Amino acid sequence: MRFQKGAARLCRPFLKTAKNIALGGFWGKGESALPELADGIQYVKGVGPAYAKKFEKLGIRTVQDLLRHYPRRYIDYSQPYTVVEAPFDTDCCVKAEVLQREPARRIAGGRILNRVLAADETGTLILSWFNASYAAEQLEPGKTYYFEGRIAGILTRRELLHPLVRTEAQVAQAPLLPVYGATDGLPSSRIARAVQGALGAADAMPEPLPEALLQKYKMPPKCVAVRDIHAPPTAEAAAAARRRLIFEELYVLQLGIILLRGHDRAGTCAPMRLVDLTPFWRSLPYAPTGAQRRATGEICADLARTVPMNRLLQGDVGSGKTLVAAAAIWTAAQNGWQSALLAPTEILARQHAATMADRLEPFGVNVTLLT
C-alpha cells in the first residue's frame, strides 16, 4: 500500500503533463499554438470560452472574424498636447512627468480615491482613479508617461479621471492605439489584446484583388493591410490600409451587383403594361411639376420592361419623391400587382400610410400599415 501511494505521488506530474497535452496539444488548440483563420475565437490567447460568448455578441466567432473587426478610430500618441494646450471636454493625449503619488483616501460613498500629480513645463496635471489603486501605483515618480482621456479642471490645474496610460517605450513601438467597437463586458482594450494574439494569422488572409489592381492603384496586399489597420506603424500606413480595405469592399460589392443583374433577370421581373396616368394626376389637389411627371414616366417605362427595374430617385426634401412613388404604386395597382413602401422609422411609416391612403383609396386601392 505504501508503494502504491509513492508511485502515485511520483506519477502525478507526468499525469498532469499528459492531461495538458491531451487538452491543448494533440487533441485541441493550446494557447502557445499559432491561431488559424478558421479557429474558434476561444482559442486565441487570453480569450477562453467565457469571453468567446461576449465576442459572439459582436458577430465574432472565428479568428478571421476577429481580424475583420477593424478599428473605428485611433488614439494618436505621436503628437501629444502640453498640459496647458490640452482642450477641455475633449478626449486628447498629454505627455507629462509624474511628480508624486498622493496617499489614498476614502471619500463619501465608501470609495477609495487615488491621485497622482504630474506636470510639464507649462502646468500641472492631476490624475485621479476611484477604487483602482493599482493604476496609480504603477506610475513611477520622475518618469514620463502619455495620458489619454477627457480634460477637466481649470486653466492652470488640469485634471484627468481614469486616464489611459502608456509609457514612452509603448508609444515608440505603436504610436497609434486602435479603438474598437465594443460591448458590455468586452472593452476595446480587451479586443485589442485579442487582436494582437491573432495577428499571426493575417498572412493566411485570402487575397481577393488581382495583382494588376494592387499595382495600378499602389495598394498593399491583404495581409499587410490587415496588419497595418490593427497595428499601424505610422499614420500613413493606417491610411493606406484603410484605403485598400475600403476599395476591396466596394470592389466586391460592385462585382456582386453585376452578378445579380445578370442572373436570370428575365425570370424575376413582373412586366406591366403602360397605363394612362391622367386620372391619377387629376385627383391631386395641385398640378404635378414637370420633373415629377418626367420621373414618373421613366419609372413606369422601366416597370414595363422585361427585366427588373434598378433605379435611384434623388431629390430635396419636399420635391415630391413620395408623390412619384404613389404614382408608381397606382400604376402597379392598375396592373393587378401589390406594392410595398418601406420607411426607416415607424413615425415616417405612419405619415406615408396616411398620405398613400389619401392618394390611392379613392381608386379602390387598399392601404395597410405594417409596423
Side-chain angles (χ1 to χ4, degrees), residues 11-347:
C11 291
R12 194 172 294 134
F14 299 99
L15 291 173
K16 183 177 181 181
T17 301
K19 180 180 179 183
N20 290 337
I21 291 175
L23 292 178
F26 298 129
W27 293 281
K29 276 283 181 182
E31 284 195 348
S32 60
L34 290 176
E36 298 179 1
L37 294 177
D39 287 344
I41 187 67
Q42 69 269 21
Y43 296 120
V44 176
K45 184 177 181 180
V47 177
Y51 273 105
K53 294 180 180 179
K54 297 178 180 180
F55 273 98
E56 285 188 10
K57 295 180 181 178
L58 297 174
I60 300 173
R61 294 176 175 82
T62 66
V63 171
Q64 184 164 255
D65 294 337
L66 178 62
L67 293 178
R68 288 176 173 172
H69 187 68
Y70 303 133
R72 50 189 184 88
R73 66 181 181 91
Y74 300 94
I75 301 174
D76 188 359
Y77 288 88
S78 63
Q79 297 179 340
Y81 286 94
T82 63
V83 172
V84 169
E85 291 175 342
F88 283 107
D89 294 326
T90 303
D91 288 329
C92 60
C93 174
V94 177
K95 182 180 180 182
E97 178 185 340
V98 171
L99 300 181
Q100 65 181 31
R101 292 196 300 261
E102 298 181 359
R105 58 191 178 92
R106 188 177 297 275
I107 60 175
R111 294 185 297 174
I112 303 298
L113 174 63
N114 294 90
R115 275 187 168 178
V116 174
L117 186 64
D120 63 7
E121 65 277 5
T122 67
T124 58
L125 180 66
I126 299 174
L127 311 166
S128 302
W129 289 270
F130 293 105
N131 298 330
S133 58
Y134 60 89
E137 291 170 357
Q138 70 179 354
L139 301 180
E140 301 178 16
K143 194 172 180 180
T144 299
Y145 297 89
Y146 291 77
F147 304 100
E148 193 274 335
R150 184 158 294 220
I151 295 290
I154 59 177
L155 183 62
T156 57
R157 193 175 176 85
R158 304 294 178 91
E159 297 181 8
L160 272 176
L161 179 63
H162 286 269
L164 184 63
V165 182
R166 299 188 79 198
T167 65
E168 291 184 299
Q170 288 173 325
V171 172
Q173 184 179 4
L176 297 176
L177 186 67
V179 178
Y180 296 90
T183 186
D184 290 339
L186 187 64
S188 173
S189 57
R190 171 71 68 169
I191 298 174
R193 286 197 296 271
V195 169
Q196 291 302 314
L199 272 183
D203 290 338
M205 294 288 284
E207 176 60 77
L209 299 183
E211 181 64 28
L213 271 182
L214 297 179
Q215 294 181 0
K216 179 179 180 180
Y217 295 108
K218 297 180 174 60
M219 294 184 296
K222 178 65 173 284
C223 59
V224 175
V226 170
R227 284 198 300 268
D228 285 353
I229 200 72
H230 289 295
T234 63
E236 292 74 18
R242 183 174 183 272
R243 173 176 173 267
R244 182 250 141 85
L245 294 171
I246 290 175
F247 181 95
E248 176 189 321
E249 185 174 341
L250 295 176
Y251 181 79
V252 174
L253 176 63
Q254 190 68 19
L255 289 178
I257 292 174
I258 292 173
L259 289 173
L260 286 174
R261 285 180 179 175
H263 177 67
D264 197 23
R265 295 190 69 196
T268 59
C269 67
M272 304 179 190
R273 58 182 175 83
L274 292 174
V275 297
D276 184 7
L277 283 163
T278 301
F280 178 79
W281 297 132
R282 285 179 178 173
S283 69
L284 301 177
Y286 51 83
T289 66
Q292 291 167 353
R293 287 179 177 270
R294 184 171 61 255
T296 302
E298 292 176 2
I299 288 174
C300 291
D302 273 358
L303 292 176
R305 297 175 63 198
T306 57
V307 292
M309 176 173 63
N310 187 7
R311 179 177 290 272
L312 169 67
L313 180 63
Q314 182 176 346
D316 295 333
V317 175
S319 61
K321 299 185 295 296
T322 304
L323 175 62
V324 173
I329 292 172
W330 185 85
T331 299
Q334 304 310 306
N335 279 269
W337 290 99
Q338 290 183 335
S339 301
L341 176 68
L342 279 66
T345 66
E346 183 175 340
I347 293 176

Side-chain angles (χ1 to χ4, degrees), residues 339-343 345-346 349-350 353 367-371:
S339 301
L341 176 68
L342 279 66
T345 66
E346 183 175 340
R350 292 186 181 279
V367 176
T368 300
L369 174 67
L370 299 176
T371 63

